Amino acid sequence: MPTTLTRLVAGVAAGAATLSLASALAAAPATAGTISPIFERTIGGPGHAGLYAWGMTTLRDGTVLVGDYWNYRVLRFNPDGTPVGTGVFIKNNGNGPTQYYTPYGLGQDPNTGEIYMADTDKYQIDVYSEAGAYLRSWGAKGTGPGKFLYPSRVVVNSEGTVYTADTWDNTIVISNGSGTEIKQFGGWGAKNGQIKAPHGMALDADDNLYVVDTGNWRISVFDKNGVFLRKWGTKGSGPGQFQGDMRGIAINKTAGWVYVVDGEGNKVSKFDLFGTFINKWGGAGHGDGEFADGGREATVDNDGNLWVADMPNYRVQKFGPSGAFLSSYPNPPQPPPTGGFNAPRGVAVNPVDGAIAVSDTYNWRIQTFTNAGAFVKTWGERGRGDYEFNYARLLKYSPLNQDIVIVDSDNGRVKAYTKDGVFKWSTGVGGKGGLGQFRNPQDLAIAADGTIFVVDSNNMRIQVLSKDGALLRMFGTAADFTYPRGITVDPVNGNLWVADSAKDTITKWSQAGVKLATLPIAKGTAANAISGPFGIAADTERIYVADTPTHSVKVYSKTGTFVTKISQRGTAKGRLLGPDGIIVDKGRLYVMEEGNERISIFNLRAS
């Protein structure tokens, strides 16, 4: 998962006073006779949608809980869609044991009323009282008893037994309400009882467990002890088939109906308990009954109506038992405001006119501004199309033609637009094979002739594209990289500088793919060291590294000599919180802050 906003803001004191220019800089002194960066201004600020609906469950009293994914909270609705009280049921408190990140799956113990949350990014299950008070947690990162790799969904049966879908471990974990593990079942495969990337889960009236077996395009059913009972579904678009990216499942226990959310198909399919297809509905779009990039989780309310989280449309939709659209909440939806950001990652500056482009990552869009900070344009939404993104990371302007080129990370693609946002081309697919397959690419650099160098992060290599997106070659291996994350072109000689956030190294490469050097930079959190670097930039004399965990930018000579540290952790102007993408242009450093959701600009004046 990407680093979340709450992870970055934990422990930052609220209401910090604005810093003076001097105190905005690092505690570590600059090397004499080099640069004295001065904070100038910011662009942007928080800009979240009203609702990023994901996890859902119906409580014993008939109210419905909705996980507000990128607002880090859980909302509560009455059956008619009106908020219960303020609407906020559980909210991240920013620190301590009650903190959670993105609220994923939700479930309730039908006997005690306790509410269970899949706290995915913390690798644990959190438990709350029926009134929303934090009670306890369990879990840790890893495999084996008491550990999870990606706990995404949780349900509780009539006996208080807890089932957790560990999506990345391809298992279902059975435990008691205190977290003591009873057993695991599943495992990667296509045989009966095996699972590939389990997502949604639901229980019938007999406590049989229905699992969305996403990688096998099917539903697998188990008894309460994890013994395989039956399965149904295949890949396809016909009746009873699923197109992919399957998400939620909900069961009407009284009527014996099963509802399955097919994300890629933008459909909801209805079955009986044994997989007999009844009907389906939905489609791609923003209208009533339509979904943008598919629905997420679902729940059946006490009136037998189906609620489906429609996250990319910033709403929840409610359908009658047979699929008739009834309503949506909030109505109208509240999309993110223009000019604001939600966990942005990348910033780029047009070398000709100074215009600024931003990858507004958790809002699935690109925004452009004048250099003075006036909003110009936005485009994009969640999805797989030409004007759609799945968590785009860094981006750059081409010095050749001013195109904006973007790594569409979770779609495994690289996309190009004109400086005015008109789509030009797209290259790549998700995968770990040959040229043109990308796994979580994070950044790119563009040479003077328009050649594009992409850090194919999870494939531990660099892929090279022409100015028009044609695949040319690749270089680098697991011996060279562990998680290459940032890349830039040296303006003096065209060499490439690569930041590896797992190795904590900065390496120099020729454009032909020959490794030239590893800079002798210390590893760690000291002022002159790097730890988990992300974005990287270069000017005629120096290398600038976004040292995300220390909330600073470290500056080095091109031989690795430490020059200075720019800023430190904080929310006041001149401080940084989660610096990711950076760019140097005409003597100024532009820093995209994921945590503060803004661009901070420093004047790199010479000493």
Side-chain angles (χ1 to χ4, degrees):
M1 289 285 290
T3 301
T4 58
L5 173 61
T6 49
R7 195 176 311 166
L8 294 169
V9 301
V12 176
T18 301
L19 298 180
S20 68
L21 293 181
S23 62
L25 301 181
T31 300
T34 53
I35 56 171
S36 298
I38 295 295
F39 168 76
E40 286 190 342
R41 58 195 170 95
T42 63
I43 295 174
H48 293 212
L51 174 63
Y52 300 90
W54 194 291
M56 303 191 70
T57 194
T58 300
L59 300 185
R60 298 186 302 182
D61 64 1
T63 59
V64 176
L65 294 187
V66 180
D68 190 359
Y69 197 64
W70 291 132
N71 285 321
Y72 313 101
R73 61 187 183 178
V74 177
L75 305 184
R76 189 177 185 186
F77 293 89
N78 291 307
D80 63 0
T82 58
V84 177
T86 64
V88 179
F89 183 62
I90 302 171
K91 187 175 182 180
N92 179 8
N93 74 351
N95 198 11
T98 66
Q99 178 184 1
Y100 61 87
Y101 298 139
T102 48
Y104 232 105
L106 297 166
Q108 185 180 39
D109 186 320
N111 299 307
T112 67
E114 291 180 340
I115 295 163
Y116 291 71
M117 176 192 297
D119 193 353
T120 306
D121 286 352
K122 289 178 71 177
Y123 311 99
Q124 67 187 35
I125 301 299
D126 299 332
V127 186
Y128 296 82
S129 73
E130 199 164 16
Y134 173 80
L135 299 176
R136 60 189 180 275
S137 299
W138 71 81
K141 184 178 182 180
T143 58
K147 296 182 178 180
F148 304 105
L149 291 180
Y150 197 83
S152 64
R153 275 75 170 179
V154 60
V155 294
V156 187
N157 75 5
S158 64
E159 299 174 351
T161 303
V162 181
Y163 302 85
T164 302
D166 191 349
T167 302
W168 289 358
D169 199 34
N170 306 291
T171 57
I172 307 298
V173 179
I174 305 177
S175 60
N176 64 24
S178 298
T180 302
E181 187 168 311
I182 299 169
K183 69 178 292 187
Q184 296 185 12
F185 63 93
W188 176 267
K191 297 178 181 178
N192 291 343
Q194 293 181 320
I195 308 168
K196 294 180 180 179
H199 281 176
M201 296 188 298
L203 295 158
D204 67 15
D206 295 322
D207 279 342
N208 294 316
L209 181 71
Y210 294 67
V211 179
V212 177
D213 186 359
T214 305
N216 287 315
W217 295 276
R218 69 189 183 193
I219 304 300
S220 291
V221 186
F222 303 85
D223 73 9
K224 65 180 182 179
N225 299 311
V227 177
F228 175 79
L229 299 177
R230 57 187 177 272
K231 64 185 179 185
W232 74 81
T234 57
K235 185 177 183 179
S237 57
Q241 295 183 312
F242 306 109
Q243 288 182 241
D245 198 22
M246 300 157 63
R247 300 281 185 165
I249 186 169
I251 295 178
N252 184 319
K253 295 183 180 181
T254 303
W257 293 327
V258 182
Y259 301 94
V260 181
V261 180
D262 184 357
E264 192 166 333
N266 292 291
K267 302 284 187 181
V268 177
S269 293
K270 179 180 177 181
F271 304 87
D272 69 15
L273 295 175
F274 291 88
T276 302
F277 175 77
I278 299 174
N279 70 321
K280 66 179 176 179
W281 65 89
H286 308 288
D288 294 347
E290 296 178 329
F291 300 96
D293 196 46
R296 266 54 184 174
E297 298 304 295
T299 189
V300 175
D301 67 20
N302 289 354
D303 296 323
N305 297 315
L306 180 73
W307 297 51
V308 182
D310 186 12
M311 183 176 70
N313 276 328
Y314 313 113
R315 65 185 180 180
V316 174
Q317 296 198 65
K318 184 169 72 174
F319 302 91
S322 297
F325 173 81
L326 299 178
S327 189
S328 63
Y329 314 111
N331 190 9
Q334 300 164 9
T338 57
F341 310 128
N342 188 342
R345 297 298 203 279
V347 59
V349 178
N350 188 318
V352 176
D353 62 10
I356 295 171
V358 172
S359 54
D360 188 5
T361 304
Y362 287 1
N363 285 327
W364 312 292
R365 65 185 181 181
I366 306 301
Q367 298 198 73
T368 57
F369 302 82
T370 67
N371 194 266
F375 170 77
V376 176
K377 187 174 184 178
T378 183
W379 69 92
E381 59 182 308
R382 175 68 181 263
R384 303 166 176 82
D386 293 344
Y387 289 93
E388 296 173 337
F389 303 98
N390 191 356
Y391 300 115
R393 295 321 196 269
L394 274 55
L395 73 171
K396 299 287 170 58
Y397 278 94
S398 171
L400 180 68
N401 53 22
Q402 302 176 62
D403 283 353
I404 301 172
V405 188
I406 304 156
V407 283
D408 187 6
S409 298
D410 288 15
N411 278 328
R413 294 188 298 200
V414 179
K415 292 177 175 176
Y417 301 81
T418 69
K419 64 184 180 65
D420 298 315
V422 178
F423 176 78
K424 292 187 70 172
W425 53 261
S426 176
T427 294
V429 296
K432 58 180 180 179
L435 188 64
Q437 291 186 310
F438 294 93
R439 294 177 67 205
N440 200 227
Q442 295 283 307
D443 193 8
L444 55 84
I446 308 177
D449 64 357
T451 303
I452 301 164
F453 301 85
V454 183
V455 281
D456 188 6
S457 303
N458 268 338
N459 280 327
M460 298 173 283
R461 63 191 181 188
I462 309 296
Q463 295 205 51
V464 187
L465 314 178
S466 76
K467 63 181 178 62
D468 300 314
L471 298 164
L472 299 178
R473 62 187 185 277
M474 56 188 179
F475 60 87
T477 67
D480 300 309
F481 302 118
T482 299
Y483 195 78
R485 203 169 188 190
I487 188 169
T488 193
V489 175
D490 193 308
V492 175
N493 51 31
N495 288 329
L496 305 171
W497 296 95
V498 180
D500 192 313
S501 66
K503 282 180 175 287
D504 295 333
T505 58
I506 305 299
T507 52
K508 180 169 66 171
W509 298 75
S510 74
Q511 291 191 19
V514 177
K515 187 176 180 180
L516 303 175
T518 298
L519 293 188
I521 298 174
K523 301 178 183 181
T525 58
N528 65 343
I530 56 174
S531 173
F534 192 168
I536 185 169
D539 61 18
T540 56
E541 298 180 55
R542 292 165 286 269
I543 302 297
Y544 301 78
V545 182
D547 199 43
T548 306
T550 64
H551 309 281
S552 62
V553 175
K554 308 291 181 66
V555 187
Y556 301 89
S557 74
K558 293 182 181 179
T559 59
T561 300
F562 175 69
V563 176
T564 191
K565 171 187 172 185
I566 301 175
S567 195
Q568 54 189 301
R569 181 177 185 149
T571 58
K573 293 184 183 300
R575 292 203 175 190
L576 302 175
L577 196 60
D580 289 342
I582 60 174
I583 193 81
V584 173
D585 181 76
K586 298 179 178 62
R588 283 174 170 78
L589 173 70
Y590 298 75
V591 183
M592 177 51 71
E593 299 182 64
E594 178 188 347
N596 283 326
E597 297 176 321
R598 67 191 182 192
I599 304 165
S600 283
I601 302 171
F602 296 83
N603 187 331
L604 301 173
R605 68 175 191 174
S607 295

